[in-house]
Amino acid sequence: MKKICTMMMLSIMAVMGAEAEETTLWEGDWYVTWNGTGGHNEWGAYNEVPTLNQDITPYMVTGATINIYLKINDMQDDSGSVYHKAQFDNWDWESLPGLSPVEFSADKVVTIDVTDELAAALNKGFRIHGHGFNVVKVTLGDNQSAIDDLDAAVLWAGEQVIDGWGANAMVINNENNAFPTFVEKLTKACNLYFLMDNTNSGDFRIAGGWGDWGNTSYPSDGYNHMKADADNVVKVALTEDFVQKAFVEQGGIAFWGNGGFTIKRIATTREAAITGTTTGINSIAVNEQQKDNRYYNLNGQVVAKPTRGLYIHNGKKFVIK
């Protein structure tokens, strides 16, 4: 009887341990410092390490729990002092609601419970700065799952320059050959992989269908100053909420931004983006940008009665004097 009870207790403990297991979103060893001599260094800003913001930002939604593991180091600041302090901002250096600076003297785990207010502020990205520590891991809280890759498929292949805040953009809607493939494949939260050229200074944005970008931009301020990995691949995780809004409410998905980079292939796995290998669909090229005769400002918003200024009209810059 005692043996049976012991086995039951061990089984219960195992189940409890499994339920408490965290999902790792990112793991590495990234130092953070305010030392001007050694070079200011921060985690997450401008995607200085490829995929940091791409891997973390999609999970910064209301109700989520994010755990950030910090390891102290002995780096001195400009005055020779050693201390450990972390601060949390978005890309515009705006403080984030509910996230006060943290001072610590030993390795620390910072747990962030994402509220509605915080989720809205995180539309402009997420960064950690401060001094005297390394970011070593970021995880999801209990009972939360990471976004998985879909089966390998190439959704689009060709050469599409992204530049001019919409002057050169790719819009996938029912007027494009690739639209049925996107609709068939993108039915839930998923990762997209972009094979690109010249991404080091690009500002890449993803949104719902042409003309309504402000309603579904994801994230709202784009993947600013993105950098591709060593194979020129940029990974973007799409939440189920975004996929539904883009294709159900907005009728498509738009890739736009600035910087003159070129999209060469869009796929559902990293390998498919690099090699073009799929599990049952062929590469599909889209039509040229459709003409809708509407005017857009440089934020991608429809302007019903344009006055003087610079607009985007039928995919090209248009000046009204």
Side-chain angles (χ1 to χ4, degrees):
M1 182 68 178
K2 183 177 180 180
K3 184 176 181 181
I4 294 174
C5 290
T6 301
M7 292 177 65
M8 289 177 64
M9 290 178 65
L10 289 173
S11 298
I12 292 170
M13 290 172 66
V15 171
M16 290 175 65
E19 289 178 348
E21 185 176 350
E22 298 172 1
T23 300
T24 299
L25 299 178
W26 178 86
E27 194 164 11
D29 196 17
W30 186 257
Y31 78 92
V32 178
T33 181
W34 278 324
N35 188 335
T37 303
H40 182 103
N41 212 40
E42 54 206 16
W43 183 92
Y46 306 124
N47 294 335
E48 292 188 17
V49 174
T51 80
L52 285 187
N53 274 317
Q54 288 100 318
D55 283 343
I56 307 305
T57 301
Y59 301 100
M60 294 288 199
V61 295
T62 301
T65 298
I66 306 293
N67 302 304
I68 302 174
Y69 288 73
L70 308 179
K71 181 180 69 176
I72 62 172
N73 62 44
D74 295 326
M75 182 173 288
Q76 299 179 350
D77 67 5
D78 291 337
S79 65
S81 299
V82 175
Y83 59 93
H84 317 287
K85 182 177 182 179
Q87 294 185 203
F88 310 93
D89 298 305
N90 61 25
W91 288 328
D92 288 340
W93 295 100
E94 298 168 342
S95 59
L96 297 171
L99 295 183
S100 301
V102 177
E103 295 190 45
F104 48 102
S105 57
D107 295 351
K108 185 174 181 61
V109 179
V110 177
T111 297
I112 300 174
D113 294 314
V114 183
T115 62
D116 286 335
E117 186 180 14
L118 177 56
L122 287 167
N123 279 334
K124 290 186 178 181
F126 177 70
R127 82 169 91 212
I128 303 173
H129 61 104
H131 184 77
F133 64 93
N134 290 40
V135 182
V136 295
K137 187 166 64 171
V138 181
T139 69
L140 277 175
D142 302 347
N143 301 320
Q144 293 175 278
S145 301
I147 295 174
D148 295 325
D149 286 352
L150 301 174
D151 291 339
V154 173
L155 305 179
W156 179 89
E159 291 199 4
Q160 174 65 55
V161 175
I162 303 295
D163 202 6
W165 299 116
N168 291 293
M170 178 187 294
V171 183
I172 308 296
N173 61 19
N174 60 12
E175 296 184 22
N176 301 117
N177 294 338
F179 184 69
T181 302
F182 275 77
V183 171
E184 176 190 354
K185 296 295 180 181
L186 306 188
T187 59
K188 60 182 181 179
C190 61
N191 298 309
L192 288 186
Y193 295 82
F194 298 79
L195 182 65
M196 296 188 177
D197 278 348
N198 189 31
T199 59
N200 286 341
S201 61
D203 186 326
F204 183 39
R205 306 194 181 195
I206 301 177
W210 185 272
D212 296 297
W213 294 343
N215 295 335
T216 56
S217 287
Y218 180 75
S220 292
D221 206 23
Y223 290 120
N224 290 344
H225 305 279
M226 69 177 186
K227 290 185 178 180
D229 63 20
D231 293 310
N232 294 319
V233 173
V234 172
K235 173 190 172 185
V236 176
L238 300 181
T239 64
E240 185 169 354
D241 179 65
F242 172 81
V243 171
Q244 290 298 315
K245 285 182 177 178
F247 287 102
V248 176
E249 297 178 17
Q250 301 298 324
I253 190 168
F255 308 116
W256 62 296
N258 194 40
F261 53 91
T262 302
I263 300 174
K264 305 185 84 172
R265 190 177 293 131
I266 304 172
T268 54
T269 68
R270 187 174 182 278
E271 181 181 2
I274 297 171
T275 66
T277 303
T278 71
T279 56
I281 116 172
N282 295 320
S283 302
I284 300 176
V286 301
N287 294 331
E288 294 182 0
Q289 173 64 53
Q290 71 279 3
K291 296 184 178 181
D292 64 6
N293 292 317
R294 291 184 289 181
Y295 290 84
Y296 303 86
N297 62 25
L298 298 185
N299 290 321
Q301 299 167 319
V302 176
V303 179
K305 296 180 179 180
T307 55
R308 275 198 221 170
L310 179 61
Y311 299 91
I312 304 300
H313 182 58
N314 288 330
K316 298 181 180 179
K317 291 182 181 179
F318 189 87
V319 179
I320 297 180
K321 298 181 179 179

